[in-house]
């Protein structure tokens, strides 16, 4: 009987606690002479888990089947290999897994889900079903443990009769039809249930502070019948795999063209992520329900656990999935390629506070929800970085702290074999930081690590009336006059636009572009938000087939301190195409994205000639826009490989961590 040494490799973008847990379980199978290991690649931050086994061929084939069954797909899994080896290099002691890791235990796995989640199984509806593989029964809250199959069936019936079902234990409400709060599109925060106004009034916080806290909620869908996914949404294979992964993320996709009932331009979609939703969606699937609308509830009674156990919202960057903003606590090994200058740093956006601390071996972070505490207890914002830029004459802020934080965080890597004796700082680098929360900027670090603001996208006037006034005062006046004459309904729509101070600059520009090309139905009476208009523009660009598109102008203006954008000319170009009879709106929306990426490419080449760009970082929540990311990758990525930190997010924890590396005095 011939014996073989076989190694099973799982190459991952970041740590996967389930894989560590499974390696430990396989170590107990003595008949295979098993060893396990984890190797990290310093340059890429990838981690390679492996299981090595020595056994006869038949037993190894059986082992391979078991491993294939047990190692459930993670969104962080990049590649798998099976290879024959000469000798073992792994260890025979289990991994030390951090207790209470958010990734363990799983809510359910392939062993228990077919039992409690399949209506044909005798255990269907038993939310407390014990599973020694994933230990999902240990992850249930006290409220969830008390639910019987009858209770969950009653929930489904209530949803069918009342059209909505509040689930305070999960911090969400399920709806059969789009909730009025989402469709009414008012500037007010998306209210979440019929008595939400009462709850807000009775809350210890004022209505004003809640208005600031609760942002526009993207339409969110819980898929009850995964088999129906492709008939309702435009999804590719990698998105389907991600949705099916153990992380159960939210992905932003567009509905099928001309869908009869999915009328929003983009939706965040997700498969059931916990035992209660698995059972509930299966009951509803039997009754012919393919999907449900979901809104998040923030009310005085929402548990802290529900606030923090929000699903992972992912964007695809450079063939990697990255969280847009990480909402769970975590840590990374202390990077070795750049010198950490501070022990702790805080960063706060309008919804979350991120606090990071550095130790000799790690960087740890905690995330808290601002709506869960009084606004008066909020942590201080990061200190302002002293910059050589003078104040410009317009309303643009010259603070480049956030962009520098994003740049610093993206280039961090850890190589435990390298110990630098002298201080290491980031040099010859630039960042494209486009955010919905902060200023959209291009910031550079030269050969001396000196920062400079090269470009900042301007924020538009707060009303459509002022936007039209600015256009009429510019060389675009004749175009505006013709546009007003030929497209009076679209012109009036533009006059009615209201922009909030916290709407991102790029989203603002896309929102106005949407109205100019006539992409939003004129008969819609209610006021629409910038976010919805920008989503419409992105969805249009996503629907364009082909790479050819007209050129939209994005001319630079040189202010006293830095470059900005002549947005009047950009909007004027769109008006000219509209006036010339261009009716393919998808082509115009795509052209906007493609032309902007092309202009960015020219600007980066200019920077490269001046400072030598050896690392080009992309960061910020606007890169959740797949068309922008794809065009930037295509236009710039060939000459300047785009840098992201695969262990962090696009806009949140990364800003807090980057602050640990700012060359500045504490104030």
């Amino acid at each position: 009987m011939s014996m073989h040494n076989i190694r099973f490799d799982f190459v991952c973008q970041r740590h996967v606690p389930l894989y560590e847990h499974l390696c430990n379980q396989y170590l107990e199978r003595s008949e295979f002479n098993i060893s396990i290991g984890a190797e990290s690649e310093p340059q890429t931050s990838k981690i390679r888990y492996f299981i090595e086994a020595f056994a006869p061929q038949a037993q190894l084939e059986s082992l391979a089947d078991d491993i294939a069954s047990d190692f459930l797909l993670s969104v962080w899994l990049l590649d798998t290999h099976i290879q024959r080896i000469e000798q073992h290099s792994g260890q025979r002691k289990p991994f030390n897994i951090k207790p209470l890791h958010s990734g363990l235990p799983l809510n359910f796995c392939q062993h228990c889900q077919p039992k409690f989640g399949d209506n044909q199984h005798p255990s269907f509806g038993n939310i407390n079903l014990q599973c020694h593989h994933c230990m999902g029964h240990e992850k249930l809250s006290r409220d969830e443990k008390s639910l019987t199959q009858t209770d969950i069936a009653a929930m489904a019936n209530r949803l069918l009769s009342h059209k909505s079902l509040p689930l305070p234990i999960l911090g969400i409400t399920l709806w059969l039809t789009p909730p009025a709060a989402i469709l009414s599109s008012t500037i007010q925060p998306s209210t979440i249930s019929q008595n939400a106004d009462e709850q807000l009034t009775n809350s210890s916080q004022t209505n004003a502070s809640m208005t600031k806290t609760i942002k526009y909620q993207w339409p969110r869908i819980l898929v009850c019948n995964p088999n129906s996914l492709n008939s309702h949404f435009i999804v590719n294979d990698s998105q389907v795999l991600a949705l099916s992964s153990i992380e159960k993320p939210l992905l932003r996709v567009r509905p099928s063209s001309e869908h009869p009932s999915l009328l929003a331009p983009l939706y965040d979609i997700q498969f059931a992520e916990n035992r209660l939703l698995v059972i509930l969606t299966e009951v509803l699937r039997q009754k012919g329900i393919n999907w449900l609308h979901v809104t998040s509830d923030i009310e005085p009674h929402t548990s802290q656990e529900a606030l923090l156990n929000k699903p992972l919202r992912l964007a695809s960057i450079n063939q990697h999935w990255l969280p847009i903003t990480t909402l769970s606590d975590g840590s990374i090994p202390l990077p070795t390629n750049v010198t950490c200058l501070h022990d702790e740093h805080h960063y706060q956006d309008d919804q979350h506070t991120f606090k990071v601390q550095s130790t000799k071996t790690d960087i740890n972070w905690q995330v808290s929800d601002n709506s869960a505490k009084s606004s008066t207890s909020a942590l201080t914002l990061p200190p302002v970085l002293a910059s050589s830029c003078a104040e410009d004459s317009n309303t643009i802020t010259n603070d480049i702290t956030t962009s520098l934080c994003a740049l610093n965080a993206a280039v961090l890597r850890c190589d435990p074999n390298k110990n630098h004796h002298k201080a290491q700082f980031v040099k010859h680098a630039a960042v494209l930081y486009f955010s919905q929360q902060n200023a959209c900027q291009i910031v550079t670090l030269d050969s001396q690590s000196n920062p400079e603001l090269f470009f900042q996208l301007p924020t538009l006037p707060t009303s459509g009336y002022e936007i039209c006034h600015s256009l009429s005062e510019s060389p675009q006046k004749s175009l505006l006059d013709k546009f007003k004459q030929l497209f009076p309904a679209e012109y009036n729509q533009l006059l009615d636009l209201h922009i909030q101070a916290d709407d991102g600059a790029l989203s603002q520009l896309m929102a106005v572009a949407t109205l100019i090309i006539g992409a939003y139905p004129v008969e819609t009476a209610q006021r629409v938000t910038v976010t919805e208009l920008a989503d419409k523009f992105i969805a249009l660009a996503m629907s364009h087939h082909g790479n050819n598109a007209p050129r939209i102008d994005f001319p630079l203006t040189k202010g006293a301190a830095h470059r900005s954008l002549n947005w009047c000319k950009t909007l004027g170009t769109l008006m000219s195409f509209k006036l010339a009879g261009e009716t393919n709106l998808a082509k115009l929306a795509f052209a906007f994205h493609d032309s902007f990426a092309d202009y960015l490419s020219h600007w980066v080449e200019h920077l490269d000639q001046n400072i030598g760009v050896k690392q080009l970082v992309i960061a910020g929540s606007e890169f959740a826009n797949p068309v922008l990311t794809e065009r930037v990758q295509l236009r710039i990525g060939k000459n300047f490989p785009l840098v992201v930190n695969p262990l962090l997010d696009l806009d949140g924890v990364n800003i807090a961590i980057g602050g640990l590396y700012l060359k500045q005095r504490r104030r």
Side-chain angles (χ1 to χ4, degrees):
M1 186 188 302
S2 62
M3 304 283 282
H4 302 281
N5 268 324
I6 296 292
R7 172 166 149 152
F8 302 87
D9 282 337
F10 298 87
V11 183
C12 302
Q13 182 178 325
R14 51 174 78 185
H15 280 281
V16 180
L18 173 68
Y19 291 1
E20 296 176 7
H21 169 71
L22 288 169
C23 284
N24 287 353
Q25 285 192 331
Y26 273 85
L27 202 54
E28 296 169 11
R29 297 178 65 164
S30 56
E31 71 272 26
F32 291 106
N33 189 15
I34 280 179
S35 56
I36 61 172
E39 302 167 344
S40 60
E41 298 177 12
Q43 293 306 310
T44 61
S45 297
K46 290 177 187 173
I47 184 160
R48 181 188 299 268
Y49 296 107
F50 62 85
I51 295 176
E52 298 165 324
F54 182 65
Q57 179 80 21
Q59 280 185 284
L60 286 171
E61 287 175 4
S62 169
L63 178 69
D65 290 341
D66 290 347
I67 288 176
S69 167
D70 286 343
F71 275 73
L72 299 179
L73 179 68
S74 167
V75 82
W76 311 126
L77 180 65
L78 301 174
D79 203 0
T80 58
H81 305 287
I82 302 178
Q83 59 186 346
R84 188 170 294 189
I85 56 174
E86 291 299 317
Q87 58 187 38
H88 288 208
S89 60
Q91 61 188 36
R92 300 189 192 276
K93 63 176 185 178
F95 291 128
N96 183 19
I97 302 174
K98 290 182 179 177
L100 301 176
H101 193 287
S102 60
L104 279 176
L106 295 182
N107 289 298
F108 52 84
C109 69
Q110 83 283 16
H111 295 284
C112 56
Q113 192 265 344
K115 297 173 185 173
F116 72 78
D118 182 348
N119 68 80
Q120 298 298 309
H121 197 278
S123 296
F124 175 59
N126 178 7
I127 198 170
N128 289 294
L129 184 77
Q130 296 207 355
C131 180
H132 70 275
H133 294 277
C134 67
M135 311 301 285
H137 56 282
E138 292 186 357
K139 206 162 184 178
L140 296 169
S141 66
R142 188 188 306 166
D143 289 332
E144 287 171 294
K145 284 178 184 173
S146 67
L147 295 171
T148 64
Q149 182 186 352
T150 310
D151 294 331
I152 298 172
M155 287 179 178
N157 289 331
R158 180 182 170 184
L159 176 61
L160 293 171
S161 59
H162 289 70
K163 308 292 188 229
S164 69
L165 176 69
L167 290 173
I169 15 180
L170 303 180
I172 58 174
T173 296
L174 304 178
W175 310 74
L176 269 190
T177 53
I182 285 179
L183 283 186
S184 66
S185 306
T186 58
I187 294 300
Q188 291 303 308
S190 303
T191 47
I192 22 252
S193 58
Q194 287 151 345
N195 62 343
D197 286 336
E198 266 176 62
Q199 291 166 351
L200 292 183
T201 309
N202 296 338
S203 163
S204 58
Q205 293 174 299
T206 64
N207 266 341
S209 69
M210 285 301 282
T211 301
K212 192 177 177 195
T213 301
I214 302 179
K215 290 279 285 181
Y216 164 82
Q217 290 191 24
W218 269 277
R220 178 173 158 192
I221 295 285
L222 173 63
V223 177
C224 300
N225 183 0
N227 293 331
S228 71
L229 186 68
N230 284 305
S231 56
H232 300 294
F233 296 97
I234 309 293
V235 287
N236 59 36
D237 290 347
S238 69
Q239 288 172 318
V240 173
L241 288 174
L243 289 167
S244 310
S245 70
I246 56 176
E247 288 81 10
K248 298 291 179 288
L250 278 171
L251 300 184
R252 195 160 297 165
V253 300
R254 64 188 182 93
S256 304
S257 301
E258 310 299 322
H259 196 285
S261 53
L262 292 168
L263 306 179
L266 297 174
Y267 287 89
D268 280 339
I269 65 170
Q270 184 189 27
F271 291 170
E273 63 169 328
N274 55 55
R275 290 185 170 206
L276 171 54
L277 292 180
V278 166
I279 298 166
L280 189 56
T281 53
E282 173 65 1
V283 173
L284 292 163
R285 185 193 67 79
Q286 283 180 273
K287 297 176 185 290
I289 306 297
N290 287 322
W291 75 84
L292 297 168
H293 297 268
V294 184
T295 47
S296 300
D297 297 1
I298 299 172
E299 48 163 294
H301 313 296
T302 305
S303 70
Q304 184 67 17
E305 188 183 20
L307 284 168
L308 289 179
N309 280 344
K310 291 178 180 172
L312 201 59
R313 274 190 164 82
L314 296 181
S316 180
I317 311 274
N318 270 7
Q319 283 77 55
H320 288 93
W321 289 109
L322 279 188
I324 299 168
T325 300
T326 297
L327 298 178
S328 56
D329 297 349
S331 68
I332 59 169
L334 184 71
T336 53
N337 64 326
V338 184
T339 302
C340 188
L341 299 173
H342 308 288
D343 297 331
E344 62 178 56
H345 187 244
H346 304 143
Y347 166 65
Q348 181 179 326
D349 63 21
D350 52 5
Q351 288 183 287
H352 301 96
T353 298
F354 307 89
K355 181 180 179 182
V356 299
Q357 291 179 308
S358 62
T359 69
K360 288 183 177 178
T361 56
D362 298 286
I363 292 176
N364 302 294
W365 66 81
Q366 290 86 38
V367 184
S368 55
D369 196 299
N370 295 344
S371 57
K373 57 180 183 278
S374 166
S375 57
T376 58
S377 67
L379 290 163
T380 54
L381 287 165
V384 175
L385 182 71
S387 153
S388 59
C389 300
E391 192 62 45
D392 206 342
S393 57
N394 58 22
T395 56
I396 290 177
T397 167
N398 275 324
D399 179 25
I400 57 175
T401 306
T402 312
S403 296
L404 278 176
C405 288
L407 197 166
N408 286 335
V411 302
L412 298 177
R413 297 292 183 268
C414 184
D415 185 349
N417 299 319
K418 285 189 179 175
N419 290 312
H420 297 291
H421 297 296
K422 63 177 187 176
Q424 303 285 314
F425 301 109
V426 184
K427 301 171 182 175
H428 297 293
V431 60
L432 308 180
Y433 178 67
F434 296 131
S435 172
Q436 289 160 340
Q437 289 88 21
N438 301 302
C440 295
Q441 298 175 331
I442 301 176
V443 171
T444 62
L445 288 170
D446 64 14
S447 59
Q448 303 300 311
S449 300
N450 293 321
E452 186 176 350
L453 175 61
F454 171 77
F455 168 81
Q456 181 164 315
L457 203 59
T459 53
L460 300 187
T462 54
S463 74
Y465 177 83
E466 292 173 85
I467 290 168
C468 289
H469 179 71
S470 295
L471 285 165
S472 67
E473 296 282 302
S474 77
Q476 316 308 313
K477 179 178 175 4
S478 60
L479 280 172
L480 182 70
D481 291 342
K482 288 177 191 169
F483 182 80
K484 179 179 176 180
Q485 187 181 350
L486 285 177
F487 302 104
E490 284 85 348
Y491 178 78
N492 287 330
Q493 259 190 323
L494 182 54
L495 286 179
D496 288 342
L497 179 66
H498 181 75
I499 291 176
Q500 297 285 85
D502 57 356
D503 287 325
L506 188 56
S507 292
Q508 292 175 15
L509 194 60
M510 288 195 288
V512 177
T514 306
L515 296 179
I516 285 175
I517 67 173
Y520 204 82
V522 172
E523 63 272 12
T524 307
Q526 70 269 24
R527 178 175 279 175
V528 66
T529 66
V530 162
T531 305
E532 288 165 284
L533 288 170
D535 275 5
K536 178 69 178 177
F537 198 69
I538 293 166
L540 271 173
M542 289 167 76
S543 69
H544 177 69
H545 300 293
N547 288 320
N548 296 327
R551 189 163 179 81
I552 310 295
D553 287 336
F554 286 86
L556 288 176
T557 62
K558 183 73 175 83
H562 62 270
R563 294 155 195 82
S564 186
L565 178 72
N566 178 352
W567 56 267
C568 287
K569 185 77 168 77
T570 304
L571 297 178
T573 314
L574 285 166
M575 278 184 193
S576 65
F577 281 115
K578 181 76 174 166
L579 290 166
E582 180 59 75
T583 55
N584 187 338
L585 305 187
K587 185 197 282 188
L588 287 178
F590 176 81
F592 178 101
H593 286 80
D594 187 53
S595 298
F596 184 48
D598 194 36
Y599 274 89
L600 287 174
S601 175
H602 289 306
W603 301 341
V604 172
E605 285 172 12
H606 169 78
L607 289 173
D608 184 42
Q609 290 169 5
N610 287 346
I611 65 161
V613 177
K614 294 180 181 175
Q615 299 185 93
L616 180 63
V617 168
I618 58 171
S621 52
E622 290 287 10
F623 282 105
N625 172 349
V627 189
L628 176 65
T629 306
E630 179 203 39
R631 300 324 290 176
V632 164
Q633 174 73 45
L634 196 76
R635 292 285 190 181
I636 310 176
K638 290 174 185 173
N639 299 324
F640 302 92
L642 305 178
V643 178
V644 294
N645 191 327
L647 303 181
L648 297 177
D649 53 9
L650 278 175
D651 216 347
V653 170
N654 66 326
I655 307 298
I657 286 179
L660 297 173
Y661 294 83
L662 285 178
K663 292 172 72 176
Q664 64 184 59
R665 291 174 183 264
R666 286 290 178 210
R667 298 191 176 184

